[in-house]
Amino acid sequence: EQAIAAINRLKQKSPPSDTLPSNLLALVSMGKGENGKARETLEDTLRQSAGDLSASINLAQLAIGEKKYADARRLYQGALEKHPHHLSTQLKVVGLDGLEGKYKNVISQLIEIVRDNPEALEPRLMLARYYLRFGEPKKTESLLDEIRGKHLENADVLMVLTESQLEQQRYPRALETAKALLAAAPDSAMSHYLLARAYYENKDFKNMRPQLEQTLRIDPKFFLSRLVMVRLQTAEKQYPQARQILDELEKEYPNEVEVYTLKAWFALELGKPKEALQAYRKAYAIYPSSETVTQLARALWAEGDKNNSLQCLQDWLKKYPQDLDRHYLLAKLYTGLGRAKDARDSLEQALRLNPNNVVILNDLAWLLRNEDPGRALELAELAAVAASRSVNIMDTLAMVALEAKQYDKALSAISKAVDLAPENPTYRYHQAIVLERTGKTEMARDLLRELLMKHKGFASRDEAESMLGRLEKSSL
C-alpha cells in the first residue's frame, strides 16, 4: 500500500507519456501474485507506448512463467525494434533460446554479441557459462582471461574461472583462483563450496571440511554442499546423519536427478543393490541422459536382469544412434554374455562413429581374430600405430598376428608386451603360445615351467598347465 501510494504521487507529478508509474504498479501487482492485474496494466502501457522496454520485459517474464515462449519472444522483438542495441534485452532473447533448448543458437548469438560488445562483461560471462556447461572449459578460461585483468576482484568472473579450471583438472591453479574468489565474496556459500572442491581435488582434506561446513552455516539449504556432506558422512560411517540429509533432499527436490543418483550410491555403500536400482530408475525417469541410462543399465546387470539391461541400452541407441560410448558399453555386455556376433556388430557401429578410436579398434580386432584374421590384423595394426606403448594393444596385435599366420609380427609384438609388463603372467602365457606356434617348443616349455612356479594364481593358469602337460608329453 505504501508503494502504491508513492507511485500515485509520482504519477501526479509525471507527464502522461511517462510509463514509469504504470510499470511500477505492474511490479507491485506481480509482487502480490496478482499476475492478471499486472498483465492488464502492462498491456495498457504497451498500447500507449509500443515497444516500451520495461513493459515488454515484464510482460515477457509473465509469459515465460506460463511457458508461452512465442509470446515472450514477440515481446522482446518488439522492444528491440524500438531499442535495437539494448544489450540486456538481446541477452534475454538468448536466454529464451536456452529455455527452448536451442543451444547452438545460444552460443552463436552470444559469440556475435561478445564480438559487438568486447568490453561488456555480462555477455562474456554468459557465453563462458555455456561453454562450461557443454564441456568446453578451455574456451571458458580463454574467453575470461581476455578481460580478467580489468576484473581482478569480480566474484562472477572468479567463480566461472574456478569451475573451468576444476573441469580441466588444473587443480593447483583452481585452488589459487578459489582463494581469490573467497577474498572477493567471503559471505558467499558458493565461494566456500568451490574452495572446498579445490582443496578436495588437491587432496587437502583437512582444509576441505571447514569450507564445506561454512557453506552450510551461511546457507543451511545449500544444495551442492549437502550432496557432498552425504558422501563425507558415509565415508565416516555416520550413516544415520547421511540418511537424514538424503531424506531431506529427496523431500525438497523430488525432481532433481542428482538426489537420486546420490541415493543410489548411498544404497550401494550400504550393500542394498535393490534400493540402488530403484533410485537409478527414478533418476532415469526424471532425466534420461547418457549418464543415467548407463547407471540404470549397470544396476540392472548387477541385479541379474541382463535382458532389461540390454534393452534399455538398445532403446536408448534407437533414439541416439550417434552415442559411441553406449554402443561400446552394449558391446561389452554382449561379450559378457558370450554373444560375440552382437558384440562385433555394436563395435562396428562404434567404429563407424569414430574410425580412429584405439580401444574400439583393439577390442574389435580381438573379437575378429578367429573369424576374420586378415581384417583383425588391419585393425590391430592401426591401434598399435596409435598406441605403441600400450601393453594390452601389443598383446592383441601378437595374438591376432598369430591367427593371421604373421609369425614374425606375433613374436615382435608379444616380446614388446612382455618388455612393457614383465611380471604379468597372462602376457607370458601368450608368449609361450606364440613360441610354440612358431616352432620354438623348448623355449615355450621352459617359459611355462617358470611361469607356473612363479605365479600360483592367474586367470589362464589352468590353460597354461594343460599346455605344459601336452608339451612335456610330446617331448617324451
Side-chain angles (χ1 to χ4, degrees):
E1 284 68 25
Q2 289 179 13
I4 291 170
I7 294 166
N8 286 331
R9 289 195 296 273
L10 175 65
K11 191 173 184 178
Q12 290 171 2
K13 297 177 182 178
S14 304
S17 60
D18 189 354
T19 61
L20 178 60
S22 58
N23 276 306
L24 290 172
L25 281 172
L27 285 174
V28 171
S29 297
M30 289 166 71
K32 293 169 70 178
E34 298 172 349
N35 288 351
K37 187 175 180 180
R39 186 177 291 104
E40 288 177 14
T41 304
L42 293 168
E43 286 173 348
D44 187 51
T45 302
L46 284 180
R47 279 191 287 273
Q48 295 176 33
S49 178
D52 180 84
L53 268 175
S54 294
S56 299
I57 289 169
N58 289 328
L59 259 179
Q61 286 302 112
L62 288 173
I64 289 169
E66 297 170 357
K67 300 194 175 182
K68 295 178 179 178
Y69 299 136
D71 290 349
R73 190 176 298 279
R74 175 180 53 79
L75 288 158
Y76 286 143
Q77 296 297 352
L80 286 171
E81 285 174 13
K82 294 285 185 180
H83 310 273
H85 303 295
H86 192 260
L87 181 58
S88 179
T89 306
Q90 288 177 332
L91 294 179
K92 289 183 188 302
V93 174
V94 173
L96 191 57
D97 280 342
L99 286 174
E100 294 181 304
K102 300 173 183 175
Y103 299 120
K104 288 185 179 178
N105 286 358
V106 168
I107 289 174
S108 62
Q109 286 182 81
L110 284 173
I111 289 171
E112 286 185 22
I113 293 171
V114 168
R115 186 189 61 217
D116 295 341
N117 302 270
E119 299 300 316
L121 181 58
E122 189 178 358
R124 195 175 286 267
L125 272 172
M126 193 171 177
L127 178 56
R129 289 191 177 103
Y130 268 98
Y131 279 147
L132 194 59
R133 179 177 178 183
F134 291 103
E136 298 189 86
K138 285 185 179 178
K139 287 186 179 180
T140 298
E141 190 164 9
S142 63
L143 187 70
L144 294 181
D145 275 345
E146 293 172 12
I147 50 90
R148 187 180 177 184
K150 297 178 182 177
H151 303 276
L152 287 173
E153 297 180 358
N154 185 291
D156 290 327
V157 173
L158 292 168
M159 192 174 292
V160 179
L161 274 174
T162 303
E163 291 185 74
S164 72
Q165 289 159 359
L166 287 167
E167 288 299 315
Q168 294 176 77
Q169 299 181 7
R170 299 177 63 193
Y171 299 135
R173 182 76 180 272
L175 183 58
E176 291 176 17
T177 311
K179 287 177 178 177
L181 168 62
L182 187 62
D187 298 324
S188 161
M190 181 60 87
S191 298
H192 288 278
Y193 170 76
L194 287 175
L195 182 54
R197 267 196 69 193
Y199 276 130
Y200 174 82
E201 299 296 357
N202 283 281
K203 303 194 185 316
D204 186 348
F205 306 119
K206 181 181 177 182
N207 280 313
M208 173 209 168
R209 183 156 191 153
Q211 295 300 327
L212 197 65
E213 290 170 342
Q214 182 63 15
T215 67
L216 294 172
R217 279 192 285 273
I218 293 170
D219 179 4
K221 297 292 185 182
F222 192 76
F223 180 72
L224 295 171
S225 290
R226 291 161 80 194
L227 293 176
V228 177
M229 193 58 77
V230 169
R231 292 185 180 272
L232 268 181
Q233 290 175 334
T234 304
E236 295 168 356
K237 302 193 182 332
Q238 298 177 16
Y239 301 128
Q241 296 91 325
R243 171 77 75 180
Q244 182 180 344
I245 296 175
L246 199 50
D247 289 345
E248 290 170 357
L249 286 168
E250 186 175 5
K251 186 176 179 180
E252 293 169 32
Y253 300 95
N255 296 309
E256 178 56 60
V257 67
E258 285 184 274
V259 171
Y260 292 96
T261 55
L262 181 62
K263 188 177 179 183
W265 173 85
F266 182 71
L268 290 173
E269 288 293 306
L270 268 59
K272 298 180 178 179
K274 283 186 168 45
E275 281 188 23
L277 177 57
Q278 290 174 355
Y280 282 135
R281 285 188 192 279
K282 181 74 173 176
Y284 182 68
I286 292 170
Y287 184 57
S289 68
S290 56
E291 183 177 356
T292 54
V293 77
T294 298
Q295 291 166 335
L296 178 57
R298 291 190 184 282
L300 286 164
W301 187 272
E303 274 297 279
D305 192 353
K306 294 180 168 49
N307 287 337
N308 277 324
S309 176
L310 296 173
Q311 190 65 53
C312 76
L313 287 171
Q314 291 162 353
D315 291 345
W316 175 264
L317 288 167
K318 284 176 187 174
K319 293 181 183 177
Y320 306 100
Q322 303 300 308
D323 189 342
L324 182 147
D325 288 341
R326 259 36 65 188
H327 280 295
Y328 182 72
L329 175 58
L330 186 57
K332 298 299 281 185
L333 297 186
Y334 280 137
T335 301
L337 290 173
R339 292 170 57 174
K341 183 181 182 305
D342 290 325
R344 289 196 299 270
D345 290 345
S346 291
L347 287 174
E348 293 281 13
Q349 287 271 69
L351 192 63
R352 281 191 282 274
L353 294 170
N354 187 348
N356 300 313
N357 187 293
V358 171
V359 174
I360 295 168
L361 287 166
N362 183 71
D363 287 9
L364 186 54
W366 184 260
L367 286 179
L368 287 170
R369 70 190 187 281
N370 296 317
E371 177 190 306
D372 189 349
R375 180 154 183 262
L377 182 59
E378 290 176 12
L379 297 172
E381 287 181 321
L382 284 171
V385 167
S388 60
R389 298 290 299 171
S390 167
V391 62
N392 187 45
I393 284 170
M394 297 314 297
D395 178 62
T396 298
L397 176 59
M399 303 312 287
V400 167
L402 193 62
E403 294 302 321
K405 296 182 171 53
Q406 298 285 324
Y407 298 125
D408 288 344
K409 283 183 182 176
L411 278 168
S412 173
I414 199 63
S415 295
K416 189 165 186 180
V418 169
D419 287 344
L420 289 167
E423 296 303 315
N424 187 299
T426 298
Y427 303 138
R428 298 288 286 176
Y429 168 57
H430 287 173
Q431 186 178 33
I433 294 173
V434 174
L435 288 169
E436 184 203 8
R437 291 276 293 276
T438 53
K440 299 176 174 61
T441 308
E442 189 174 338
M443 291 175 64
R445 189 168 56 243
D446 292 344
L447 192 157
L448 287 169
R449 286 173 181 155
E450 179 188 346
L451 177 65
L452 291 168
M453 188 178 297
K454 190 172 183 181
H455 297 279
K456 299 303 180 187
F458 60 97
S460 304
R461 184 177 173 90
D462 290 346
E463 294 92 327
E465 287 177 345
S466 176
M467 181 180 174
L468 178 59
R470 176 171 52 78
L471 292 180
E472 288 181 334
K473 187 176 180 180
S474 65
S475 68
L476 295 176

